[in-house]
Amino acid sequence: MDYKFLKLENNDNILTLTINREKSLNALNTEVINELDQCITEIELSTDIDVVVITGAGKAFVAGADISEMATLNAAEASEFAKRGMDVFLKLEKLKIPVIAAINGFALGGGCELALSCDIRVASTKALIGQPEVGLGITPGFGGTQRLARTVGLSKAKELIFTAEPIKAERAYEIGLVAHVVEPEELMDKAYEIAKKITKNSKIAIRNCKESMNTGMQVDIDTSMNIEKSLFGLCFATEDQKEGMKAFLEKRKPEFQNK
């Protein structure tokens, strides 16, 4: 499918999704959000994508939601706009395959929220990350108050949101917001390096791990342990489990078939 604001490139089952609205610093308007929704559906139905890497064109990852579109919304319209973004980001978060955010520059507001919806975040030293919404008289609207607190802890999340001050990549790494910080020219290589390591493993096992962690974070510890136990058990009904353990005992690399 052709997109106006997204560029897609699949290499060795690693899909690079570039948000390409460079003149507006890749700001998220309704068109971009709708395209992301359609693209995620396409990814869900694909059999030749094992990992997604999301990045932005130019000097921004995503500079935020489009303020020119939001400025005239009334309360009901704003709520619907927030719901639309939340639904799409939840859909991204629930993708069965891993998603890596390659944060190349500004990741503010909706851009930070998009990155938080990904499984792994890698940042360029030029990245600037934050939730500046209170400076505009609003709250984060695409899940920022919830995912940021779950990622870095309540106190740090409140400081970032209440002060509206973005942080540099090094600070984001210190508080656990990103997993790696690299020089700009190394960013995509680092994201691909992680993606390639992921593709060597059992897709079924990775899917079950993602489901266990994402679901377990929303419930009490006893319930989460039962979720893990069930998914662990289901792995033993797969050919991948048999191949993985057989390969280990035979001291060779496994050849997983996603079965």
Side-chain angles (χ1 to χ4, degrees):
M1 187 171 180
D2 293 327
Y3 295 100
K4 181 179 179 182
F5 295 119
L6 304 180
K7 290 196 302 183
L8 306 178
E9 184 178 350
N10 191 340
N11 291 308
D12 299 323
N13 287 14
I14 299 170
L15 178 73
T16 302
L17 190 168
T18 304
I19 299 175
N20 187 30
R21 195 179 174 223
E22 191 172 347
K23 290 183 179 179
S24 299
L25 298 178
N26 306 321
L28 299 172
N29 62 6
T30 298
E31 282 187 275
V32 177
I33 292 170
N34 287 342
E35 287 196 358
L36 279 171
D37 188 16
Q38 294 168 3
C39 185
I40 295 165
T41 297
E42 208 178 339
I43 293 167
E44 287 176 326
L45 298 173
S46 175
T47 59
D48 63 351
I49 301 172
D50 295 336
V51 182
V52 179
V53 177
I54 298 180
T55 193
K59 63 182 181 180
F61 176 71
V62 167
D66 195 324
I67 296 172
S68 64
E69 181 175 356
M70 291 192 294
T72 58
L73 298 179
N74 61 35
E77 291 167 341
S79 182
E80 282 302 309
F81 182 72
K83 183 180 185 303
R84 181 66 177 139
M86 284 181 180
D87 288 347
V88 174
F89 285 10
L90 273 171
K91 187 175 176 180
L92 176 66
E93 183 177 64
K94 291 179 179 179
L95 266 180
K96 293 182 178 180
I97 59 175
V99 182
I100 300 170
I103 306 172
N104 52 305
F106 301 118
L108 304 173
C112 182
E113 290 167 309
L114 175 62
L116 285 166
S117 303
C118 300
D119 299 299
I120 301 168
R121 288 167 291 281
V122 182
S124 156
T125 53
K126 290 188 176 181
L128 200 63
I129 306 170
Q131 301 283 172
E133 286 88 348
V134 297
L136 299 170
I138 61 174
T139 70
F142 293 167
T145 61
Q146 304 307 306
R147 288 195 184 92
L148 187 59
R150 285 166 167 79
T151 302
V152 303
L154 193 56
S155 179
K156 290 185 179 68
K158 285 180 177 180
E159 180 183 7
L160 285 170
I161 291 172
F162 294 171
T163 64
E165 292 183 356
I167 56 175
K168 293 182 179 180
E170 290 80 3
R171 178 58 180 159
Y173 175 77
E174 289 173 359
I175 63 175
L177 183 51
V178 301
H180 300 276
V181 177
V182 296
E183 294 300 321
E185 63 273 14
E186 299 171 359
L187 178 66
M188 297 309 294
D189 287 342
K190 185 62 179 179
Y192 293 145
E193 176 191 325
I194 297 169
K196 287 174 184 176
K197 288 179 180 179
I198 291 171
T199 61
K200 293 178 181 178
N201 298 308
S202 163
K203 289 196 284 187
I204 295 174
I206 289 170
R207 182 174 70 232
N208 286 351
C209 286
K210 180 169 178 175
E211 181 180 348
S212 181
M213 286 187 281
N214 282 2
T215 306
M217 287 293 291
Q218 312 304 318
V219 297
D220 62 88
I221 188 69
D222 292 327
T223 304
S224 67
M225 290 298 182
N226 282 326
I227 292 168
E228 180 175 307
K229 177 186 68 177
S230 297
L231 290 167
F232 175 77
L234 287 174
C235 289
F236 283 76
T238 68
E239 293 181 21
D240 276 6
Q241 174 268 327
K242 295 172 179 62
E243 166 62 14
M245 293 191 174
K246 183 180 179 183
F248 177 84
L249 295 172
E250 294 176 354
K251 296 180 171 57
R252 62 173 174 83
K253 292 182 179 180
E255 296 180 6
F256 294 117
Q257 300 299 319
N258 194 31
K259 296 180 181 178

